[in-house]
Amino acid sequence: MKFIEFGIGNTWLIRTETELEDGSEYEEKGIKGPIHFQSIYIRIWINKNVLIIDLKEGIKLEKKDRNEFKFIFGITSST
């Protein structure tokens, strides 16, 4: 799975995060293709609460272990 994200709170303003089948992941600066569109999402992370609004999966509220502030617009792509 690949996530192309635009916004504040990540290492770079625009990044591509790739999750591999073994569960590991890595991120790269900018947009890395190819892109096989699956969904669009918005992630708002305040302290330990994350609100995710996803075109495919709907609205979710998650709790995380670390405090962060992020406002991200993203695209989900298959690898």
Side-chain angles (χ1 to χ4, degrees):
M1 192 70 89
K2 190 182 294 189
F3 303 93
I4 297 107
E5 297 185 330
F6 312 86
I8 58 171
N10 286 333
T11 308
W12 299 291
L13 190 59
I14 301 172
R15 75 166 186 163
T16 300
E17 178 181 296
T18 304
E19 292 182 353
L20 304 175
E21 290 184 19
D22 66 2
S24 63
E25 58 186 45
Y26 64 94
E27 63 180 58
E28 300 173 273
K29 186 176 183 178
I31 299 171
K32 304 298 178 191
I35 299 170
H36 304 285
F37 177 82
Q38 288 192 334
S39 186
I40 295 174
Y41 63 90
I42 294 173
R43 185 178 342 147
I44 302 168
W45 184 331
I46 300 173
N47 296 325
K48 294 182 179 184
N49 300 303
V50 183
L51 174 65
I52 303 168
I53 303 167
D54 188 293
L55 190 64
K56 186 175 179 181
E57 297 182 18
I59 299 172
K60 298 188 287 186
L61 185 59
E62 295 183 358
K63 294 275 190 188
K64 299 288 185 173
D65 291 335
R66 63 186 195 278
N67 286 325
E68 296 277 347
F69 175 77
K70 295 183 180 188
F71 185 83
I72 305 293
F73 170 80
I75 297 169
T76 307
S77 170
S78 60
T79 50

